[in-house]
Structure formats: C-alpha cells, structure tokens
Amino acid sequence: MPLRCLLVDDNDAFLEAARVLLEREGMQVAGMASNIAGALRQVRALRPDVILVDIGLGEESGFDLARLLAADGQGGQRAQRRRADVILISAQAETDYTDLIAESPAAGFLPKSELSAQRISQILNRQLRAGQPRFQLAGIAIGRLPGRRGQAHARS
C-alpha cells in the first residue's frame, strides 16, 4: 500500500507541484491544506501516514501545527491508531531553524528543493532505526512492523 500523505503549505502552486511530483513517485497524496485549521480537519478525516508541513504558513507557524498534531495524537479517539509522522519543509535552509526543529515533535526536516518520496522514506527510516515506532519502508510501499510492542500489524 502506498504511503499516504497530507501536504500543508500556504502556496497553492507549491501544493500542486508537490502533489504531482509525489504521486508520480508512487505516494498517495490524500489531501492538501493551506492553514492549521484545514490541516487539523484533514488529518482527522483522512488519517494520513505522514504530514508534510511548511514551516511558514502565512501568519501561522508549521511548528505550532506540529505541536498541535502531536498533542492531538495523544487523545483517546486516536489511541487505536498510530499518530502520523510530521516532516517539516521549507524553502529556507535547515540551519535557519536548527534549534526549533530539534525542539519540535517532527520526525525531521526536508528542504523543499529536495522533496521526493525517497527523501521522505529516508527520514522515516531514520526514525525507525532510532527505535521509534514508525513505518518500515520497502521502496515506497510500506506496512507496519509486526511483533513490535505498541504497533499494529501490517495493513492489508
């Protein structure tokens, strides 16, 4: 089953370009949002595997959204399902946000210029190797790891 993602960015042209690129590479773009409220609604409705969040969402902050998503994932209604991974994205350099990224609950950071299914997989695999309960990636098709504590078995 392809990795399902939600794209969150306040730039419509970027959203469309990213959707085309990621779908061409085998990912499923389940939805797109341009602000925090829209992203929260879509996450709850679509339950994506990964959420790509622009750090600068106009007047809003992608860091705030990452924290809200992490807090939302702790609630009772989502207890039966694993929280989606958040990857922060930006046209700015990672060094511009190093401390904020490190303090955020995000799985990692990806420059927009390097956006690809492969780079997303690398970030999620890094979380897996670090012992965090994340997805195991085989190419772009993924399944959950059976037998690991705190995780569901592979989806069919």
Side-chain angles (χ1 to χ4, degrees):
M1 179 175 225
L3 187 66
R4 296 178 69 245
C5 74
L6 173 68
L7 301 173
V8 184
D9 196 294
D10 63 330
N11 182 312
D12 291 338
F14 174 79
L15 284 172
E16 184 59 23
R19 182 192 64 77
V20 169
L21 171 76
L22 295 175
E23 287 181 346
R24 189 176 300 147
E25 294 182 353
M27 291 183 69
Q28 179 185 355
V29 177
M32 299 185 289
S34 60
N35 58 42
I36 289 175
L40 291 173
R41 278 192 304 275
Q42 293 222 18
V43 166
R44 291 174 184 138
L46 302 172
R47 299 186 183 268
D49 302 313
V50 64
I51 307 162
L52 302 175
V53 177
D54 187 20
I55 287 175
L57 293 173
E59 297 294 316
E60 300 177 318
S61 167
F63 292 110
D64 290 341
L65 177 56
R67 284 188 287 275
L68 288 168
L69 290 168
D72 189 49
Q74 304 307 313
Q77 73 184 84
R78 303 238 15 222
Q80 296 177 8
R81 180 163 158 75
R82 177 191 88 70
R83 180 183 60 186
D85 289 299
V86 172
I87 296 176
L88 295 166
I89 60 174
S90 180
Q92 304 295 320
E94 183 174 8
T95 55
D96 293 346
Y97 303 106
T98 303
D99 292 339
L100 292 170
I101 293 167
E103 294 169 2
S104 81
F109 173 84
L110 182 59
K112 287 183 178 181
S113 62
E114 297 178 21
L115 182 66
S116 71
Q118 180 180 12
R119 289 286 285 125
I120 292 167
S121 296
Q122 289 171 347
I123 291 169
L124 298 178
N125 273 327
R126 186 174 46 215
Q127 291 295 313
L128 181 65
R129 285 191 303 271
Q132 308 236 352
R134 304 290 183 205
F135 285 101
Q136 176 182 15
L137 302 173
I140 199 61
I142 62 169
R144 297 186 197 201
L145 291 171
R148 293 192 59 138
R149 288 182 19 199
Q151 277 189 275
H153 292 287
R155 287 187 263 184
S156 48

